Amino acid sequence: MNKLCVSLTAALLGLLSNAVLAVGAVEGAVERQPLNTSAIVIFLLFVAATLVISYWAARHTRNSSEFYNAGGKISGLKNGTAIAGDFMSAASFLGITALMFGAGFDGLVLSLGAFSAWPLMLFLLARRVRNLGSYTFIDVVSTRLERSRIRYVAIAGTIIVVLLYLIAQMVGAGKLIELLFGLPYEWAVISVAILVVIYVTFGGMLATTWVQIIKALLLIAGVTVLAFLVMQEADFSVDQLLQRAADNHPAGERMLAPGLAFKDPIQVATILTSMLFGVLGLPHILMRLFTVPNAHEAKKSAFYASLFMGYFYLLLIIIGFGTAMLLYNNPQFFDLDGNLIGGGNMAAIHLSNAVGGSLLTGFMSAVSFATILAVVAGLTVSGAAAISHDLYAEVLCKGDPDPDTELRLTRITVLVIGVISVGLGILFQNENVAFIATMPMVVAASVNFPILFMSLFWAGLTTRGAIAGATVGLLTSVVLIVIGPQVWVSVLGFEQALFPYNYPALFTMPLAFFVTWLVSNNDRSARATIDRDNYHALLVQSEYGEAGMQQG
Amino acid sequence: MSDDLNAQQLRAIQDRTRRRFRFSLAALTLYFSFTLAWTDIGQFLTEPLFGFVNGALLLFVSLILIFVALEFWFLSLSAKDQRRENREGGQAQ
């Protein structure tokens, strides 16, 4: 029973989005592991390869365009792989496996949430976003609305999401690396920041893309081998895998069905909403749509990303249930108190050890480290673009910046983001950051996604409506998270939360849409007429690109 | 000529937009149907179907595969549109 409690505690820490999982994966009983030599060797090989790539990429990154979107020359397949690399974090791998180890089937809620944004990305956004923007999603929303005001709002949305996501990633990274490699927390945070600053400052989006591609391939290879070895243990029978998982799990056959961690369908719906629409509003994910030459390649990117992620999340079923099958009955993975050694979120790493020995453990640990680098690199490029492109070039210089100054500013911004991320990582190391990690997905779903969606699909949208909707989305997200269980109970110590759910996007996103609609409908300003009149041109350009505009 | 082209483009855009929404609605309906597994109505999903594989697990796997199939179908339709437009563009020239 003790084991079940520990596992469920770990699992509940993982009831979170991708970003949140980064923290969930390492909160709770974090216990530094002995130095893992094979992990360090494999990781150093990864670092060496990515540094060589950064050196090569630096020679191909001579202007802002090449910095922000790799010159728009990445193919759909490569970009799809990079998107998968950007999105399939260590948190997905370690956190979802941990949740399944503790709560069985319920862990799959997170897998479905993380995967299902990609069909929507393809159906709704890929083509139109690619045809309208240059470097960031802010380019898209400012196409038809009043340039400066909407950019300020969208930049704020981007920076908030990037910074919160960075805090979650850096705290997660520090603890995870401490856990996996035995490195001190501060060194772990600093080493992540140094590597990311090198990749991004010199190689920009091109280096970031290749870091993400390599990481995606390593992760896919790792989980394939791991799942194969688990299935070998189960004589390649899914039935045997599930039966033995249920036999060994403290909850028995209940772990195969929904309901061990989540009791309420509304709770599940809040998580699904936050994850799906949050992903569709994440600036660093949307930015990847601009790295391909045209809209067709952008759509292919979303499709290939789906294929990789679908495969990954299907394998997580085997790995998740495999942890229950192979770890619970093996005392070598538990300490004297009956807790999983290193904390509940080491389940995937212990499983690697159980089926593949120290070599596979080292490989999976190194891959987990590499995943953090890939995600933080993507966030850093996105944050730098928001400042140097959206704020400096488009707002302050009215779209006519000095190219050298812009590129210099971009690189300085990367450095500043690196320093800030180290500072925040160290500052928040002993804090309960679960609520900070919740916010990026909820804010992205309630601020970025409504503006983006309505600017693409609703002729009646006005600048005033977009700003009002975004403001309401942001404020309600923050307020409901604060009065929700994660802050009101866990941080502030009150007995009962004023709002019962951790992920308010199910409520805040529709509210943001409603306010945007209401204010836009009642907007009689001169600017509102221009905004509405601009829609026709935007529509044609969004479907046919610049060429379509010239023809029309 | 320009007006004709514009009207033609707008019709094509309306068709595509309707298609986008149809696919999105299908994906969202399927996606949120997953919550059924936590309701009383969806209790049947917790029952074993094949050995230890229950309806909820089968639903999860099916959803991922259906989404990929939907995406493939959507891409095929888009590619067909593109080919037709290229053909019509060629004829117009």
Side-chain angles (χ1 to χ4, degrees):
Chain A
M1 196 60 202
N2 191 23
K3 282 180 193 172
L4 177 63
C5 291
V6 171
S7 307
L8 281 175
T9 307
L12 288 167
L13 288 166
L15 304 184
L16 306 165
S17 68
N18 218 20
V20 183
L21 280 164
V23 180
V26 291
E27 274 190 335
V30 174
E31 186 180 303
R32 195 184 295 181
Q33 298 301 289
L35 214 60
N36 185 327
T37 317
S38 47
I40 289 175
V41 170
I42 295 167
F43 180 70
L44 287 178
L45 285 174
F46 171 82
V47 169
T50 49
L51 286 177
V52 170
I53 286 168
S54 296
Y55 175 74
W56 163 80
R59 298 171 64 187
H60 293 80
T61 305
R62 296 190 192 90
N63 56 46
S64 299
S65 168
E66 286 166 348
F67 186 93
Y68 298 133
N69 67 5
K73 292 174 188 159
I74 308 286
S75 70
L77 176 59
K78 285 179 191 160
N79 195 41
T81 317
I83 289 172
D86 200 350
F87 195 68
M88 295 181 307
S89 60
S92 296
F93 173 57
L94 300 178
I96 291 174
T97 309
L99 190 52
M100 291 188 71
F101 174 70
F105 178 86
D106 280 3
L108 295 177
V109 171
L110 297 161
S111 291
L112 189 69
F115 170 77
S116 303
W118 296 97
L120 271 288
M121 184 71 85
L122 170 63
F123 303 152
L124 290 177
L125 302 184
R127 183 186 184 106
R128 291 195 172 189
V129 168
R130 173 61 189 82
N131 276 338
L132 287 172
S134 304
Y135 307 125
T136 66
F137 90 95
I138 302 173
D139 291 330
V140 179
V141 298
S142 63
T143 304
R144 59 184 283 217
L145 303 177
E146 203 272 301
R147 242 178 131 87
S148 298
R149 280 194 296 159
I150 195 64
R151 273 190 189 269
Y152 282 128
V153 173
I155 290 166
T158 298
I159 295 297
I160 288 169
V161 169
V162 167
L163 279 183
L164 293 170
Y165 215 112
L166 260 182
I167 293 174
Q169 288 292 328
M170 292 306 276
V171 174
K175 293 191 175 176
L176 194 66
I177 292 162
E178 185 179 29
L179 191 74
L180 296 177
F181 289 83
L183 277 181
Y185 178 91
E186 288 79 4
W187 279 107
V189 168
I190 291 169
S191 57
V192 167
I194 288 174
L195 283 170
V196 168
V197 167
I198 291 172
Y199 296 149
V200 180
T201 308
F202 296 106
M205 184 56 102
L206 189 56
T208 302
T209 300
W210 278 104
V211 169
Q212 290 169 344
I213 289 174
I214 293 174
K215 168 254 161 149
L217 296 178
L218 288 175
L219 186 60
I220 289 287
V223 293
T224 302
V225 171
L226 188 54
F228 178 84
L229 293 174
V230 169
M231 287 309 291
Q232 198 173 35
E233 293 282 334
D235 293 331
F236 296 100
S237 158
V238 174
D239 213 37
Q240 195 181 132
L241 167 74
L242 298 176
Q243 183 183 3
R244 286 175 59 190
D247 287 347
N248 291 332
H249 196 278
E253 283 187 28
R254 285 194 301 129
M255 67 90 69
L256 300 177
L260 214 53
F262 308 117
K263 308 289 180 201
D264 172 8
I266 304 290
Q267 187 188 14
V268 177
T270 58
I271 295 168
L272 290 179
T273 305
S274 299
M275 292 191 71
L276 180 98
F277 296 104
V279 173
L280 296 178
L282 285 178
H284 66 292
I285 296 290
L286 290 167
M287 197 175 175
R288 289 229 56 96
L289 295 175
F290 305 113
T291 61
V292 290
N294 53 47
H296 183 60
E297 292 296 315
K299 286 191 292 188
K300 276 165 64 181
S301 304
F303 179 64
Y304 286 125
S306 270
L307 285 185
F308 279 113
M309 283 186 246
Y311 177 72
F312 173 75
Y313 289 116
L314 286 177
L315 290 189
L316 281 193
I317 299 175
I318 297 171
I319 294 170
F321 286 121
T323 56
M325 176 178 86
L326 293 168
L327 300 187
Y328 276 113
N329 60 353
N330 196 334
Q332 81 172 93
F333 299 115
F334 290 86
D335 62 21
L336 293 175
D337 299 326
N339 301 326
L340 197 67
I341 294 171
N345 295 288
M346 282 291 281
I349 302 296
H350 288 318
L351 182 69
S352 308
N353 194 13
V355 295
S358 65
L359 188 65
L360 187 60
T361 310
F363 182 79
M364 295 314 295
S365 301
V367 169
S368 301
F369 196 163
T371 61
I372 291 164
L373 291 176
V375 176
V376 175
L379 285 168
T380 306
V381 174
S382 177
I387 299 295
S388 55
H389 169 66
D390 293 312
L391 184 61
Y392 170 75
E394 293 297 325
V395 177
L396 300 179
C397 298
K398 311 281 181 205
D400 187 26
D402 171 51
D404 291 337
T405 311
E406 187 184 355
L407 187 58
R408 200 163 45 246
L409 181 68
T410 309
R411 289 182 161 142
I412 292 169
T413 311
V414 169
L415 199 62
V416 171
I417 291 174
V419 173
I420 289 174
S421 63
V422 170
L424 292 173
I426 292 173
L427 189 69
F428 282 88
Q429 70 171 304
N430 295 318
E431 301 297 321
N432 179 348
V433 293
F435 72 95
I436 294 174
T438 306
M439 284 184 181
M441 296 303 257
V442 177
V443 170
S446 312
V447 179
N448 298 353
F449 178 70
I451 305 180
L452 183 60
F453 180 83
M454 291 188 103
S455 69
L456 292 176
F457 290 99
W458 188 44
L461 179 70
T462 68
T463 305
R464 199 176 281 174
I467 292 171
T471 309
V472 168
L474 179 62
L475 291 177
T476 50
S477 298
V478 173
V479 168
L480 291 184
I481 287 172
V482 168
I483 62 172
Q486 278 182 358
V487 178
W488 203 252
V489 178
S490 305
V491 178
L492 300 176
F494 290 100
E495 215 164 88
Q496 199 172 2
L498 301 176
F499 177 75
Y501 303 111
N502 284 327
Y503 297 89
L506 180 64
F507 310 97
T508 54
M509 187 184 72
L511 186 64
F513 271 113
F514 175 71
V515 170
T516 307
W517 171 81
L518 189 68
V519 175
S520 295
N521 256 354
N522 291 293
D523 189 354
R524 303 279 174 263
S525 64
R527 179 65 224 184
T529 310
I530 300 171
D531 292 339
R532 291 181 193 114
D533 290 346
N534 281 345
Y535 184 68
H536 176 79
L538 171 135
L539 197 58
V540 176
Q541 190 185 340
S542 70
E543 285 291 338
Y544 293 97
E546 293 289 346
M549 288 299 288
Q550 283 157 14
Q551 279 183 354
Chain B
M1 179 64 194
S2 177
D3 281 351
D4 283 352
L5 191 60
N6 220 308
Q8 204 180 336
Q9 280 182 335
L10 275 180
R11 263 198 309 277
I13 291 170
Q14 281 168 350
D15 288 346
R16 282 183 193 176
T17 306
R18 271 195 290 272
R19 184 194 297 158
R20 285 180 201 292
F21 284 130
R22 274 198 296 268
F23 272 86
S24 301
L25 194 64
L28 285 172
T29 308
L30 288 168
Y31 180 64
F32 284 104
S33 72
F34 196 55
T35 56
L36 270 180
W38 282 263
T39 62
D40 292 337
I41 305 168
Q43 270 303 306
F44 67 93
L45 289 169
T46 61
E47 302 297 326
L49 285 180
F50 315 106
F52 283 82
V53 178
N54 59 34
L57 188 58
L58 197 67
L59 178 63
F60 174 82
V61 175
S62 306
L63 284 176
I64 289 195
L65 297 178
I66 289 170
F67 285 158
V68 171
L70 275 176
E71 287 183 82
F72 185 74
W73 185 18
F74 183 83
L75 272 182
S76 307
L77 291 173
S78 301
K80 213 155 81 179
D81 281 352
Q82 192 66 51
R83 280 197 298 274
R84 197 181 57 230
E85 275 168 20
N86 290 344
R87 231 181 10 248
E88 285 168 0
Q91 281 169 0
Q93 278 171 11

